[in-house]
Amino acid sequence: PDSGAVLGLDADLKVTKQRAPVAKLDAARLLSQNGIPKLRKNARSKLRLKGKGHEFSDLGRLLNFYQLWLDDLYPRAKFADGLAMIEKLGHTKRVQIMRKEWIDEDKPDLKTYTS
Amino acid sequence: GRDVQVVDPEVRAHVYSLVTALGGFNGEDASKYCLGDDALACLRDIRKWLKLYDDKTNRLDVARCLAEANLVNGDLLPILTLCRETTGSKKKHLARIALACLELLVPLTWPVEIHSQMTVNHHRHTPYLQQAQVQYKRGILDRQAGSHVLRSVIQIALPSLALPKSERTNRDDGILKLMLYLCRNVAMISPLRGLAAEGDEEETSRSATINAFQTQDVFALLLTMSSNMGDDFNFQDVIILEILFHLVKGVDVHKLFMDDAQRSDKYKEELNDLLRKETGVSREYAKTAPTRHARFGTMIWVKRDDAKVSTVSGQDVLKNGQAAFNKMDQTKKWNRPKHVGRKREVEAASGDFNATTHLTSAATKNLRTFVEEFLDTGFNPLFTHVRKAIEREANRVLDVNTRQFLYLVSWFLLAERVRRSSQRKRHEKDKGTSREIEPDSFSLVAGVLNQETFIFLNRAMQYSFDHGDWQDLNANLRCFSQILLTVQEMAASPLEDDQEIAENIQNRIFYEETTHDRIISIVRGYKDQGFGYLDACTELLHVFVKMLENYSKENTDMQIRSKRRAKRAKKDSSENKKTENAERNESEEEELLDAARVSKERKFDFKRFASRFCNQKSIDAFMQFTTFYRELDDEQLKRAHRFFYRVAFKQDMSILLMRVDILNLFYRMIKGPGALDNAKPIYREWEELIKQLTRKMTKKLDQRPALITEMLFSKINSTLYFLEYGHEKQTVSAG
């Protein structure tokens, strides 16, 4: 018997090229180094708000800060779209747990508070 | 190509031969219509075709053939004119022919609409027939020809109309119905929005309909019938309701009650607003417009962290950094795919009352005269009668009638209020010359301000909310807002009786906690129901909260009835029984769970109530509403402003507004691109609000660095309190 036919050596190989996967803005990306950790770090060092008397320039500065961060994180999306996507991610369990942790870091030591 | 036969040729041949045999413009006087010898029989045959072929087999073939043969404009309308003009011995025969014409006109003008159970045949014929019906309407309203078709139709029904109710036979009732249905059809047919109109659109507009109704005494007929509703007339209430609905839907009440000078002022003001908006747009463009030619080729770098740069091209970005940021965002090509929900069922366009209609000044005058007379005589009898019919689920009532009823109640209540205020103004103006007038009481609209109506309203609201009939709910919300506003005006009336009644009504409205809960949950439940709905529910919340606040301030010990879960004690007692008879108790406990809500009176706490609508969902709804800020009028902008103000400063929940997308919207409203018109007073109010909010936010960011991440998300309840106040909530044991 023809071993080639049995083993299928002669048959044409069909190569289907896989589409390159589209990068997604998901919880993993949001929590990665480039995501919220970077946002927190930068906020401390880069974001300076002037306070009273400069309300609208402050607001503009804050929005620009977020916009640049989002552009780095996920360049594909427009600002408003990206915000909506992140807001939606905020409802997932994983992100919620992290959010709780970040807030808890802020909290004064519970013992000293209650005493 | 091959001719496609859309209709069976034999059917077409039959129908055409009947139409030809009916009569025509020939004989010695070519301008006069000559009836065929067997005209009456022909009319009856055509009717049989319509009935036995179209209706029985659920097609529109015969209607299509008749439209192509130009039966209505070529034959029926000339015959009706002929019948009206002839007197003498032939009168009786002609009256029968006229009636036969009417019997054909009604089904031919019956609106064909897109609905969920259409066959291939329907899809084929509907657009053609809709076009044809607009032509029919044009023929019926035709002013140049001087053929008063509507008046002739009323004349056909006059003998039946004159009879007392007890002596009317089925045939008489049928004739009345035909007459009213023809009026309804005429009012209902409207030129299709998507299709180019043949000829003048004005001839079939709402204004033309109103003017024809005035000159041909249809308004007089409607007034007579509605003011005698219940006495002389009974079954006609719903059809009259429909006619009214199609006449007034979308008509701006405020413009209706202005006199000509005021209205032209108003139009000027609107034009001014528009022009200013346009200059605003062009100025904004001019600010960033290139000062050199399009190929000048400027390119800049925006320096970023980590030695990265972004490139942006164009000279406009040189001016300020903000423009560069906007441009960086705008040049992105990808859009977030929006989830499109389940495809909603087709909504018939004729039931839509959200689109506004403009009237000519003659039509405005006619309609206003009618509306005033209707309020004086027909409002109470008609609306009471219709409400009862709907409640008892009478055979003649259709689902859509509830919506029409609610919409009309809201429309006429607003009309009554506007009329009163315009009267008041007029009296103030010539105070010196005319004598003091007695203040009117609100009895003219009392028919919809009684306890039965409130029960009806509440039930309808709950029903449409549960079933997701958003258009119905929309009408309901509008109705409820108008009732509240009317009651508020009543409370301010100089008449003591009115005040007392208003007090009573408010008591009843605010007494039920379920009403409060429902209104909150309606606003919270907003999701893609369209702008009209959003407008209605935000208005209701605004009006309701404002009045409730005032009312609870005046009545400090206000009680409400709340239904809550039964106390533990009851359950304990049932558990004791359980040991005795376990089996029987199982079912009993289920029952108990069902009925575990007891009514209880307790003191009303406005602060608590207000805090309940300060949640993320209702803020989202108002935020959706505010995204339309370029199209909103001052009153609507004020509504949104008050809501956000209450959330941030009265309820101390500003943390809920600290979300980047909300702040982004607010920033755009003030600083652009596409900012509010800064000449308007409402702009200052918004500016102040956003300023205060930003100030608060800056402070908060300092105190709690975690906010920088939380600003991206909707807040979670468990961390909300901490973020707002900086410490955990003290749980106080309820005393």
Side-chain angles (χ1 to χ4, degrees), chain A residues 25-59:
Chain A
L25 181 53
D26 50 13
R29 184 176 273 254
L30 186 65
L31 298 177
S32 71
Q33 207 48 54
N34 233 356
I36 285 184
K38 184 175 158 199
L39 180 77
R40 281 155 57 84
K41 200 180 85 208
N42 279 0
R44 254 172 247 136
S45 55
K46 301 250 164 64
L47 185 66
R48 291 269 173 271
L49 298 181
K50 291 186 179 166
K52 205 170 169 180
H54 301 273
E55 283 82 5
F56 284 100
S57 60
D58 273 356
L59 194 53

Side-chain angles (χ1 to χ4, degrees), chain A residues 17 53 76 94 108-109:
Chain A
K17 213 176 170 187
R76 212 168 137 79
R94 196 175 152 201
D109 194 15

Side-chain angles (χ1 to χ4, degrees), chain A residues 48-103:
Chain A
R48 291 269 173 271
L49 298 181
K50 291 186 179 166
K52 205 170 169 180
H54 301 273
E55 283 82 5
F56 284 100
S57 60
D58 273 356
L59 194 53
R61 212 166 288 133
L62 183 83
L63 290 170
N64 290 344
F65 171 72
Y66 276 107
Q67 192 183 328
L68 283 180
W69 168 74
L70 202 61
D71 189 58
D72 277 344
L73 178 68
Y74 193 67
R76 212 168 137 79
K78 290 182 182 126
F79 186 39
D81 286 346
L83 287 179
M85 289 159 88
I86 291 181
E87 201 281 323
K88 209 171 167 196
L89 283 176
H91 298 283
T92 58
K93 198 85 203 157
R94 196 175 152 201
V95 178
Q96 285 205 341
I97 292 169
M98 288 308 291
R99 284 169 64 186
K100 193 99 185 12
E101 256 173 50
W102 295 319
I103 292 174

Side-chain angles (χ1 to χ4, degrees), chain B residues 198-245:
Chain B
E198 289 174 38
D200 198 358
E201 236 176 277
E202 273 302 303
E203 287 173 22
T204 48
S205 66
R206 187 80 63 79
S207 303
T209 315
I210 288 170
N211 290 339
F213 274 24
Q214 173 66 27
T215 49
Q216 305 189 30
D217 300 325
V218 180
F219 278 152
L221 173 85
L222 291 178
L223 281 175
T224 316
M225 292 188 82
S226 48
S227 57
N228 289 310
M229 196 50 67
D231 303 334
D232 281 340
F233 303 101
N234 220 343
F235 306 114
Q236 294 83 1
D237 50 355
V238 180
I239 316 177
I240 293 180
L241 186 84
E242 282 195 50
I243 298 175
L244 289 176
F245 176 78

